[in-house]
Amino acid sequence: MTAPVAVSGTPLADLTTARVGGAARELIEASTEQEIIAAVRAADAEGRPLLIISGGSNLLVGDDGFDGTVLHITSSGFTVDDDDASCGGVMVTVQAGHDWDDLVKYTVMHAFSGLEALSGIPGSTGATPVQNVGAYGSDVSQTIATVRTYDRETGSIRSFTNFELGFGYRDSLLKRSTVEGSPRYVVLTVQFQLGLGRMSAPVRYAELARTLGIEVGARAYATDVRRAVLTLRAGKGMVLDAPDPDTWSTGSFFTNPIVSEDVAAGLPGDAPRYPAAGAGRVKLSAAWLIEHAGFSKGFGLSDDDGHAAAGGRASLSTKHTLAVTNRGGASTSDLLSVARLVRDGVDQRFGIRLEAEPLLVNCSL
């Protein structure tokens, strides 16, 4: 099995939605499962550090780049197994590099129910189980059946069931399992078990339910849910749009913190609170904390004294306070400078320390 050809000095800013990051020592593009495995085996055999990129939507690479092998997974396509259609379900097996929203659009248009609330999220399908990607009350753990991977530790193919993946809030076994700081398991394909029908899964998110004019827990036409989600995301700068710097980001930079009931009780009464897994645990809104710590939309373009934080090259989105954006010409350091100010300000105001959601490579918050 021959590894694909490597290219030296490729700027990683070209492969990430935030449009920042230095160069890779070598970049390898792999469009098939065989090429993916061959590239990983070659890097491991030679002891080279390995960074895996596909959509580049949840990633910040330092300004010094990555001194190792960057594997850009571009595999695409999916198959549909409707043998279980008589039982009201369908299985869809997707290549790791396949564009996520392309898959979601297909499932909605073909009356496969379950992914509609995850419309508009940038990135690749193979990345979704790693982070247990989610939005608007839905996440991929609700529909994933199996994930097929290459295990770098044993040099073999290994598949995981939904239960074995140990999903949590923006977390999974795949995320927690590493080899010298990089993923132990390289995702090859993801299989989803979806319902059949034009109605959506129950709508669990209040903002989405209000937009649709239904009660939380009710269903709507999946096409209407997708349309509403795309509208909501676009209004927050969370749908990629090349001319719009508000979309030049990693999406939500901070996760919603999960705290004890005692910590939540110390917040003002209007602070949003949501159920969280674990006894006595509460999930808070990072966006609310940021705004009420004094950081408004567009923070970083100018401060109260008229001086631009990070030179004005980076700021919170002018549409939503959760995204740290590249206004044009920003560096990774610029984005992190804004993020640190926000993190520290929330900590000082509420005693709650926000955690970064994107993967930080050769840089830190």
Coordinates of all heavy atoms in Angstrom, one line a residue, residues 40-96:
V40 N -1.1 7.3 7.2 CA -1.0 7.3 8.6 C 0.1 6.3 9.0 O 1.0 6.5 9.9 CB -2.3 6.8 9.3 CG1 -2.1 6.6 10.8 CG2 -3.4 7.9 9.1
R41 N 0.1 5.1 8.4 CA 1.1 4.1 8.6 C 2.5 4.6 8.4 O 3.5 4.4 9.1 CB 0.9 2.8 7.8 CG -0.3 2.0 8.4 CD -0.5 0.8 7.5 NE -1.5 -0.2 8.1 CZ -2.0 -1.2 7.5 NH1 -1.8 -1.4 6.2 NH2 -2.9 -2.0 8.1
A42 N 2.7 5.3 7.3 CA 4.0 5.9 6.9 C 4.5 6.9 7.9 O 5.7 6.9 8.3 CB 3.9 6.5 5.5
A43 N 3.6 7.8 8.3 CA 4.0 8.8 9.3 C 4.4 8.1 10.6 O 5.4 8.5 11.3 CB 2.8 9.8 9.5
D44 N 3.6 7.2 11.1 CA 3.8 6.5 12.3 C 5.1 5.7 12.3 O 5.9 5.6 13.2 CB 2.7 5.6 12.7 CG 1.4 6.4 13.2 OD1 1.6 7.6 13.4 OD2 0.4 5.8 13.3
A45 N 5.4 5.0 11.1 CA 6.6 4.2 11.0 C 7.8 5.1 11.1 O 8.9 4.6 11.6 CB 6.5 3.4 9.7
E46 N 7.8 6.3 10.6 CA 8.9 7.2 10.6 C 8.9 8.1 11.8 O 9.8 8.9 11.9 CB 8.9 8.0 9.3 CG 9.1 7.2 8.0 CD 9.0 8.0 6.8 OE1 9.2 9.2 6.8 OE2 8.8 7.4 5.7
G47 N 7.9 8.0 12.7 CA 7.9 8.8 13.9 C 7.6 10.2 13.7 O 8.0 11.1 14.5
R48 N 6.9 10.6 12.6 CA 6.6 11.9 12.4 C 5.3 12.3 13.1 O 4.3 11.6 13.1 CB 6.4 12.2 10.8 CG 7.6 11.9 10.0 CD 7.5 12.5 8.6 NE 6.3 12.0 7.9 CZ 6.3 10.9 7.2 NH1 7.4 10.2 7.0 NH2 5.2 10.5 6.6
P49 N 5.2 13.5 13.7 CA 4.0 14.0 14.3 C 2.9 14.1 13.2 O 3.2 14.4 12.0 CB 4.3 15.4 14.8 CG 5.8 15.4 14.9 CD 6.4 14.5 13.9
L50 N 1.7 13.8 13.6 CA 0.6 13.7 12.6 C -0.6 14.6 13.0 O -1.0 14.5 14.2 CB 0.1 12.2 12.5 CG -1.1 11.9 11.5 CD1 -0.6 12.2 10.1 CD2 -1.6 10.5 11.7
L51 N -1.1 15.4 12.1 CA -2.3 16.2 12.3 C -3.2 15.8 11.2 O -2.9 15.8 10.0 CB -1.9 17.7 12.2 CG -3.1 18.7 12.2 CD1 -3.9 18.6 13.5 CD2 -2.6 20.1 12.0
I52 N -4.5 15.5 11.6 CA -5.5 15.1 10.6 C -6.5 16.3 10.4 O -7.0 16.8 11.4 CB -6.2 13.9 11.1 CG1 -5.2 12.7 11.2 CG2 -7.4 13.5 10.1 CD1 -5.8 11.5 11.8
I53 N -6.7 16.7 9.2 CA -7.6 17.8 8.8 C -8.6 17.2 7.8 O -8.2 16.5 6.9 CB -6.9 19.0 8.3 CG1 -6.0 19.6 9.4 CG2 -7.8 20.0 7.8 CD1 -5.2 20.8 8.9
S54 N -9.8 17.7 7.8 CA -10.7 17.5 6.7 C -11.4 18.8 6.4 O -10.9 19.5 5.5 CB -11.8 16.4 7.1 OG -12.5 16.0 5.9
G55 N -12.5 19.1 7.1 CA -13.1 20.4 6.8 C -12.4 21.6 7.4 O -12.6 22.7 6.9
G56 N -11.6 21.4 8.5 CA -10.9 22.5 9.1 C -11.7 23.5 9.8 O -11.3 24.6 10.0
S57 N -12.9 23.1 10.2 CA -13.9 24.0 10.8 C -13.8 24.2 12.3 O -14.4 25.1 12.9 CB -15.3 23.7 10.4 OG -15.6 22.4 10.9
N58 N -13.1 23.2 13.0 CA -13.0 23.2 14.4 C -11.6 23.2 14.9 O -11.2 22.4 15.8 CB -13.8 22.1 15.0 CG -14.2 22.2 16.4 OD1 -14.7 23.3 16.9 ND2 -13.9 21.2 17.2
L59 N -10.8 24.0 14.2 CA -9.3 23.8 14.4 C -8.6 25.2 14.3 O -8.9 26.0 13.5 CB -8.8 23.0 13.2 CG -7.3 22.7 13.1 CD1 -6.8 21.9 14.3 CD2 -6.9 22.1 11.8
L60 N -7.7 25.4 15.3 CA -6.8 26.5 15.2 C -5.4 26.0 15.3 O -5.0 25.3 16.2 CB -7.0 27.5 16.4 CG -8.1 28.6 16.3 CD1 -8.0 29.5 17.5 CD2 -7.8 29.4 15.0
V61 N -4.6 26.4 14.3 CA -3.2 26.0 14.2 C -2.3 27.2 14.5 O -2.6 28.3 14.0 CB -2.8 25.4 12.9 CG1 -1.4 25.0 12.8 CG2 -3.7 24.2 12.5
G62 N -1.3 27.0 15.3 CA -0.4 28.2 15.6 C 0.2 28.8 14.4 O 0.3 28.2 13.3
D63 N 0.7 30.0 14.6 CA 1.3 30.8 13.5 C 2.6 30.2 13.0 O 3.0 30.5 11.9 CB 1.5 32.2 14.0 CG 0.3 33.0 14.3 OD1 -0.7 32.9 13.5 OD2 0.2 33.6 15.4
D64 N 3.2 29.3 13.9 CA 4.4 28.6 13.4 C 4.1 27.4 12.6 O 5.0 26.7 12.2 CB 5.3 28.3 14.6 CG 5.9 29.5 15.3 OD1 6.0 30.5 14.6 OD2 6.2 29.4 16.5
G65 N 2.8 27.1 12.4 CA 2.5 25.9 11.6 C 2.6 24.6 12.4 O 2.5 24.6 13.6
F66 N 2.8 23.6 11.6 CA 2.9 22.2 12.2 C 4.1 21.5 11.6 O 4.2 21.3 10.4 CB 1.6 21.4 11.9 CG 1.6 20.1 12.5 CD1 1.3 20.0 13.9 CD2 1.8 18.9 11.8 CE1 1.3 18.7 14.5 CE2 1.7 17.7 12.4 CZ 1.5 17.6 13.8
D67 N 5.0 21.2 12.5 CA 6.3 20.5 12.1 C 6.1 19.0 12.0 O 6.7 18.3 12.9 CB 7.4 20.9 13.0 CG 8.8 20.5 12.5 OD1 8.9 20.2 11.3 OD2 9.7 20.3 13.3
G68 N 5.4 18.6 11.1 CA 5.1 17.2 10.9 C 4.2 16.9 9.7 O 4.2 17.7 8.8
T69 N 3.5 15.8 9.7 CA 2.7 15.4 8.5 C 1.3 15.9 8.8 O 0.7 15.5 9.8 CB 2.7 13.9 8.3 OG1 4.0 13.5 8.0 CG2 1.8 13.5 7.2
V70 N 0.7 16.6 7.9 CA -0.7 17.0 7.9 C -1.4 16.1 6.9 O -1.1 16.2 5.7 CB -0.9 18.5 7.6 CG1 -2.4 18.8 7.6 CG2 -0.3 19.3 8.7
L71 N -2.4 15.3 7.4 CA -3.1 14.5 6.5 C -4.5 15.1 6.2 O -5.3 15.3 7.1 CB -3.3 13.1 7.1 CG -4.3 12.1 6.4 CD1 -3.7 11.8 5.0 CD2 -4.4 10.8 7.2
H72 N -4.7 15.5 5.0 CA -6.0 16.2 4.6 C -6.9 15.1 4.0 O -6.6 14.6 2.9 CB -5.7 17.3 3.6 CG -6.9 18.1 3.2 ND1 -7.1 18.7 2.0 CD2 -8.0 18.3 3.9 CE1 -8.2 19.3 1.9 NE2 -8.8 19.1 3.1
I73 N -7.9 14.7 4.7 CA -8.8 13.7 4.3 C -9.9 14.2 3.4 O -10.7 15.1 3.8 CB -9.4 12.9 5.5 CG1 -8.4 12.2 6.3 CG2 -10.5 12.0 5.0 CD1 -8.9 11.5 7.5
T74 N -9.9 13.8 2.1 CA -10.9 14.3 1.2 C -11.8 13.2 0.6 O -12.4 13.4 -0.4 CB -10.2 15.0 0.0 OG1 -9.3 14.0 -0.7 CG2 -9.3 16.1 0.5
S75 N -11.9 12.0 1.3 CA -12.7 11.0 0.8 C -14.2 11.4 0.8 O -14.6 12.3 1.7 CB -12.6 9.7 1.7 OG -12.9 10.1 3.1
S76 N -15.0 11.0 -0.1 CA -16.4 11.4 -0.2 C -17.3 10.3 -0.7 O -16.8 9.3 -1.3 CB -16.5 12.7 -1.1 OG -16.1 12.3 -2.5
G77 N -18.6 10.6 -0.5 CA -19.6 9.6 -1.0 C -20.2 8.9 0.2 O -19.7 8.9 1.3
F78 N -21.4 8.3 -0.1 CA -22.1 7.5 0.9 C -23.0 6.5 0.2 O -23.3 6.6 -0.9 CB -22.9 8.5 1.8 CG -23.9 9.4 1.1 CD1 -25.2 8.9 0.8 CD2 -23.5 10.7 0.8 CE1 -26.1 9.8 0.1 CE2 -24.4 11.5 0.1 CZ -25.7 11.1 -0.2
T79 N -23.4 5.5 1.0 CA -24.3 4.5 0.5 C -25.5 4.4 1.4 O -25.4 4.7 2.6 CB -23.6 3.1 0.5 OG1 -23.2 2.8 1.8 CG2 -22.5 3.1 -0.5
V80 N -26.7 4.1 0.9 CA -27.9 4.0 1.6 C -28.4 2.5 1.6 O -28.5 1.9 0.5 CB -29.0 4.9 1.0 CG1 -30.3 4.7 1.7 CG2 -28.5 6.3 1.0
D81 N -28.6 2.0 2.8 CA -29.1 0.6 2.9 C -30.5 0.7 3.5 O -30.7 1.1 4.6 CB -28.2 -0.2 3.8 CG -28.7 -1.6 4.0 OD1 -29.8 -2.0 3.5 OD2 -28.0 -2.4 4.7
D82 N -31.5 0.4 2.6 CA -32.9 0.6 3.0 C -33.6 -0.8 3.3 O -34.8 -0.9 3.2 CB -33.7 1.4 2.0 CG -33.7 0.8 0.6 OD1 -33.1 -0.3 0.5 OD2 -34.3 1.4 -0.3
D83 N -32.7 -1.8 3.6 CA -33.3 -3.1 3.9 C -34.2 -3.1 5.1 O -35.1 -4.0 5.2 CB -32.2 -4.1 4.1 CG -31.4 -4.5 2.8 OD1 -31.9 -4.2 1.8 OD2 -30.3 -5.1 2.9
D84 N -34.0 -2.1 6.0 CA -34.8 -2.0 7.2 C -36.0 -1.0 7.0 O -36.6 -0.6 7.9 CB -34.0 -1.6 8.4 CG -33.0 -2.7 8.8 OD1 -33.3 -3.8 8.6 OD2 -31.9 -2.3 9.3
A85 N -36.2 -0.6 5.7 CA -37.3 0.4 5.5 C -38.6 -0.1 6.0 O -39.4 0.7 6.4 CB -37.3 0.7 4.0
S86 N -38.9 -1.4 5.9 CA -40.2 -1.9 6.4 C -40.3 -1.7 7.9 O -41.5 -1.7 8.4 CB -40.3 -3.4 6.0 OG -39.3 -4.1 6.7
C87 N -39.2 -1.5 8.6 CA -39.3 -1.2 10.0 C -39.2 0.3 10.3 O -39.1 0.7 11.5 CB -38.2 -1.9 10.7 SG -38.2 -3.7 10.5
G88 N -39.3 1.1 9.2 CA -39.3 2.5 9.4 C -37.9 3.2 9.5 O -37.8 4.3 10.0
G89 N -36.9 2.5 9.1 CA -35.5 3.0 9.3 C -34.7 2.8 8.1 O -35.0 2.0 7.2
V90 N -33.6 3.5 8.0 CA -32.6 3.4 6.9 C -31.2 3.6 7.4 O -31.0 4.4 8.4 CB -32.9 4.4 5.8 CG1 -32.8 5.9 6.3 CG2 -32.1 4.2 4.6
M91 N -30.2 2.9 6.9 CA -28.8 3.1 7.3 C -28.1 3.8 6.2 O -28.1 3.4 5.0 CB -28.2 1.7 7.6 CG -29.0 0.8 8.5 SD -29.0 1.5 10.2 CE -27.4 1.1 10.8
V92 N -27.3 4.9 6.6 CA -26.5 5.6 5.7 C -25.1 5.6 6.1 O -24.8 6.0 7.2 CB -27.0 7.1 5.6 CG1 -26.2 7.9 4.5 CG2 -28.5 7.2 5.3
T93 N -24.2 5.0 5.3 CA -22.8 4.9 5.6 C -22.0 5.9 4.8 O -22.1 6.0 3.5 CB -22.3 3.5 5.3 OG1 -23.1 2.6 6.0 CG2 -20.8 3.3 5.7
V94 N -21.2 6.8 5.5 CA -20.7 8.0 4.8 C -19.1 8.0 5.0 O -18.6 7.7 6.0 CB -21.2 9.3 5.5 CG1 -20.9 10.5 4.7 CG2 -22.7 9.2 5.7
Q95 N -18.5 8.3 3.9 CA -17.0 8.5 3.9 C -16.6 9.7 4.8 O -17.3 10.7 4.9 CB -16.4 8.7 2.5 CG -16.7 7.5 1.6 CD -15.9 6.3 2.1 OE1 -14.7 6.3 2.4 NE2 -16.6 5.1 2.0
A96 N -15.5 9.5 5.5 CA -15.1 10.5 6.5 C -14.9 11.9 6.0 O -15.2 12.9 6.7 CB -13.8 10.1 7.2

